[in-house]
Amino acid sequence: MPHLPFQMSEKPDGTDGAATIMAKPKPKTQRPPMYKVLILNDDFTPMEFVVHILERFFGLNHAQAFEIMLTVHKKGLAVVAIFSFEVAETKVAQVMDFARRHQHPLQCTMEKE
């Protein structure tokens, strides 16, 4: 068998034939802006109704819901949770719709964190 001038794993240019891939730097992914969902105090919505809303729509246990309701009552508002825009918007709509259906003037809003 004739002797080849290079080994089978090498090409004539001295490389092994593997392609060199230049890694492009990955673009930094930014977290989407987050939004605070707030409940505002009023003089008409019963405290028990606010606690029910916090348990039903935000998954809080009774003690957590009661504490946030007291903060709303004493300070005029409280941040209930922080979500992406779409989730915050949905929570606000659910709370407002539920309050209106039960004829309460409760206000729920959202603002950028």
Side-chain angles (χ1 to χ4, degrees):
M1 182 169 269
H3 181 6
L4 298 174
F6 56 90
Q7 293 183 359
M8 295 296 274
S9 63
E10 288 185 12
K11 292 175 78 178
D13 63 2
T15 67
D16 64 3
T20 303
I21 299 172
M22 297 298 292
K24 293 181 183 176
K26 288 185 178 181
K28 289 188 178 184
T29 54
Q30 293 182 339
R31 287 182 48 134
M34 301 299 278
Y35 289 80
K36 298 185 279 190
V37 174
L38 302 112
I39 299 274
L40 299 136
N41 189 42
D42 66 68
D43 294 332
F44 305 101
T45 305
M47 292 179 179
E48 298 81 27
F49 185 78
V50 175
V51 169
H52 178 71
I53 288 230
L54 294 169
E55 292 171 343
R56 179 173 178 160
F57 295 105
F58 297 95
L60 301 176
N61 66 37
H62 188 75
Q64 293 168 322
F66 192 81
E67 188 175 320
I68 290 175
M69 177 277 298
L70 283 179
T71 301
V72 171
H73 182 69
K74 292 176 184 175
K75 296 190 175 184
L77 63 85
V79 175
V80 179
I82 300 171
F83 300 109
S84 66
F85 178 83
E86 291 80 10
V87 174
E89 186 177 49
T90 299
K91 295 288 184 186
V92 169
Q94 288 173 330
V95 168
M96 294 294 290
D97 181 57
F98 191 76
R100 296 302 156 264
R101 284 189 284 131
H102 289 84
Q103 301 173 347
H104 294 298
L106 183 69
Q107 292 294 306
C108 183
T109 63
M110 60 188 266
E111 66 182 41
K112 201 168 188 178
E113 187 179 32

